[in-house]
Amino acid sequence: MLGFTRYVSRTGPAKATFVGGLRRQRERRSGFNPHGQLVKALKTDIAFRTGGSYLAGVVGLVKDRWQPLYSTLRTGAQEYLTSLGDPEKVSLAQTRDAIATVGPLAVKINPHFGLRFEDGHREAVRLHFDEAPPSAEALTAMLHLMARHMDQILPNAEPVLVDVRRGVTHRLDTAAQPAHIEAWLAGEAAAFTSMWGTTAA
């Protein structure tokens, strides 16, 4: 899902360049995730209702090369944690991955975690770590795909994308027309598949 939503954010020749790079990365089997410890710390603070103590200490747990990144991300992650309100009224909920069929493309949908609030409200949360805020296209694609498969991911939950660097939470635009989004995504997926095949030639 991350690769596809990054793809839809691009325009013109940048789309083909991105697909080529993604394919080379896949062939090298590279793709190390540098954010794992931060996600773990955030989830631990939620689970144990510790208000950010794990986030506060996570910078010292990672290698020196990742400490500037973690210092940048920690502030926004703490803002997001605080925005959840009373720690006693929110807990983690188990989510499951889902496979979406978008035109000719299979897209794996994998939230980072789920939340359950005391009032019964649930959220399936995906985190955004990039330096640039998520584009409108990426937000639409990601939140729509999560909503479409929420019965598998976390029944009766709301899809949420959190821009960690800025501590901003994004939700689905209720005015959006699902049929139009589906048609747009199908077209994007067809172009992505065609470019993927071309880069393999």
Side-chain angles (χ1 to χ4, degrees), residues 14-28 192 195-196 199-200:
K15 283 183 177 287
T17 301
F18 175 78
V19 173
L22 195 64
R23 184 177 181 86
R24 288 190 294 275
Q25 184 183 74
R26 179 71 57 85
E27 290 170 347
R28 292 194 304 266
F192 181 99
M195 290 179 190
W196 187 277
T199 59

Side-chain angles (χ1 to χ4, degrees), residues 14-200:
K15 283 183 177 287
T17 301
F18 175 78
V19 173
L22 195 64
R23 184 177 181 86
R24 288 190 294 275
Q25 184 183 74
R26 179 71 57 85
E27 290 170 347
R28 292 194 304 266
R29 298 183 182 277
S30 60
F32 169 70
N33 175 16
H35 308 114
Q37 288 292 332
L38 186 112
V39 176
K40 182 178 179 181
L42 176 58
K43 291 173 65 175
T44 302
D45 273 321
I46 295 170
F48 292 100
R49 301 177 168 89
T50 41
S53 61
Y54 285 89
L55 281 173
V58 73
V59 176
L61 299 178
V62 297
K63 294 181 179 179
D64 290 349
R65 64 176 296 195
W66 298 118
Q67 287 183 3
L69 172 65
Y70 271 58
S71 295
T72 299
L73 294 173
R74 181 179 59 185
T75 300
Q78 179 63 58
E79 290 178 7
Y80 166 66
L81 182 65
T82 301
S83 76
L84 296 177
D86 185 348
E88 296 297 326
K89 296 183 179 181
V90 60
S91 59
L92 290 178
Q94 180 66 47
T95 59
R96 293 181 174 83
D97 293 349
I99 301 296
T101 301
V102 186
L105 191 65
V107 178
K108 184 177 182 180
I109 305 173
N110 48 351
H112 285 96
F113 55 86
L115 295 176
R116 181 183 295 107
F117 294 84
E118 188 178 62
D119 63 2
H121 178 67
R122 295 180 176 187
E123 293 180 355
V125 181
R126 177 79 192 180
L127 303 175
H128 175 87
F129 298 103
D130 294 354
E131 288 188 29
S135 68
E137 292 83 2
L139 280 171
T140 298
M142 194 169 292
L143 293 174
H144 175 80
L145 290 172
M146 287 173 65
R148 195 223 279 180
H149 294 82
M150 198 56 71
D151 285 349
Q152 299 172 55
I153 296 169
L154 181 61
N156 302 314
E158 176 187 9
V160 167
L161 180 68
V162 178
D163 182 354
V164 178
R165 287 178 185 259
R166 284 149 285 268
V168 175
T169 299
H170 297 276
R171 302 176 188 279
L172 198 60
D173 180 1
T174 55
Q177 299 184 36
H180 290 174
I181 296 173
E182 287 286 338
W184 166 64
L185 288 178
E188 293 286 343
F192 181 99
T193 304
S194 176
M195 290 179 190
W196 187 277
T198 301
T199 59

